[in-house]
Amino acid sequence: MIINAGGRTDIVNYYSEWLLNRFREGVVYSRNPFYPNQVYKYLLSPDVVDCVIFCSKNYKPILERFREISDRFNVFCFYTITAYEKDVEPRVPDIDESIETLIKLFEIVGKDRLVWRYDPVLLTEKYTTKYHLKTFEYMAKKLAPYVSFCIFSFVEMYKKLEKNMPEIIPFTPESKQMILQGFGEISEKYNLRLQTCADAQDYSRYGILQSGCITSDILAGALGVKFKKLPNNGNRKNCKCMPSRDIGAYNTCLNGCKYCYANSSPEIAYKNLSKHDKNGLLLLGNLNKDDMIIDSKQESFILAQQSLF
């Protein structure tokens, strides 16, 4: 099975000590966000956990102890670094600091298991197409030697996003084409593989691949293994990712990003912080008397080890 440690919240940035405790003790609970009285129990053992997927905007808090996990488990890391400043991402490190941290992470996990995310791409009066192209090239030049590929996506206009970021300017066919053509040319210039995420459109004419973030092919190549045939059952429409189990919780990320889909509001996330126990089995809160603990069916997806030689 695949454990996701970053889909619902930025765990390594704000809850790394809790995460390390869970892996040390070998068990974690995850509350079903749609049926809150259902709590899933996962054993964190290399026998059944094929890979731990991380996604964060700041790995610095866990860097010194990251090997406590990566030495025992396969890992695959997504590092999100965008063009936005504090007006959009209030608690995210700036670009140069993030690049420095990514390079340190590369020294631990290597290039094959490290991916740069530049998403979501959105437009405002400040963050224009020209702004994105200039910033994307600045980052691509510096990051290309350290990442296996780059993923980007265009912003999805959730209802709460319309409320939280009324300044967003909708893409026109012309502005979207400028981004696609520019990103494609920049990626080719720096020999950086570029692909979309959960997008049904074919952008191959720009040199942009259509794929998923954690497909079985991508993960198999990075880990040097062969997986059983698995369905693509990602959480979003057009998602091509293989099955994974998220151990985070919504409404707990403190990054404060205005475009965030995982928080109802930054205020709720800060309020929920008081419910976090670094020694608890759940990331947020404790078990209730009417909770139903479900022992999850866990099995390895790996079919056979592949020789790298």
Side-chain angles (χ1 to χ4, degrees), residues 223-241:
L223 305 181
V225 302
K226 186 176 181 180
F227 286 107
K228 302 172 184 177
K229 189 174 182 179
L230 298 168
N232 297 325
N233 66 343
N235 295 326
R236 293 188 292 165
K237 185 179 179 181
N238 301 315
C239 183
K240 296 178 173 60
C241 293

Side-chain angles (χ1 to χ4, degrees), residues 98-116:
S98 296
I99 290 173
E100 182 181 338
T101 304
L102 182 144
I103 294 173
K104 292 178 180 178
L105 181 62
F106 157 82
E107 293 170 353
I108 298 173
V109 303
K111 181 174 182 175
D112 290 343
R113 303 186 187 198
L114 182 55
V115 176
W116 168 34

Side-chain angles (χ1 to χ4, degrees), residues 116-178:
W116 168 34
R117 295 190 69 100
Y118 186 96
D119 67 343
V121 180
L122 58 84
L123 301 179
T124 68
E125 289 187 1
K126 176 179 179 179
Y127 300 106
T128 62
T129 54
K130 290 182 179 180
Y131 192 107
H132 277 290
L133 294 176
K134 180 181 178 180
T135 310
F136 184 79
E137 177 158 19
Y138 176 82
M139 287 193 270
K141 181 179 180 180
K142 291 179 175 290
L143 292 174
Y146 304 105
V147 297
S148 56
F149 59 94
C150 175
I151 292 176
F152 82 99
S153 64
F154 292 104
V155 68
E156 293 188 36
M157 292 303 297
Y158 299 99
K159 287 186 178 180
K160 58 185 172 184
L161 183 57
E162 295 176 2
K163 176 183 178 182
N164 294 337
M165 283 199 77
E167 67 268 32
I168 287 182
I169 299 172
F171 278 96
T172 63
E174 293 76 19
S175 60
K176 198 169 188 178
Q177 184 178 9
M178 285 183 64

Side-chain angles (χ1 to χ4, degrees), residues 10-16 56-59 61 91-93 255:
D10 197 336
I11 292 179
V12 301
N13 193 4
Y14 298 106
Y15 306 102
S16 57
S56 176
K57 294 179 179 176
N58 184 15
Y59 281 80
R91 297 195 65 193
V92 176
N255 284 328

Side-chain angles (χ1 to χ4, degrees), residues 13-31:
N13 193 4
Y14 298 106
Y15 306 102
S16 57
E17 191 168 358
W18 171 83
L19 183 69
L20 291 163
N21 287 338
R22 292 300 92 235
F23 274 93
R24 187 182 67 252
E25 295 181 13
V27 62
V28 65
Y29 285 8
S30 178
R31 190 175 296 279

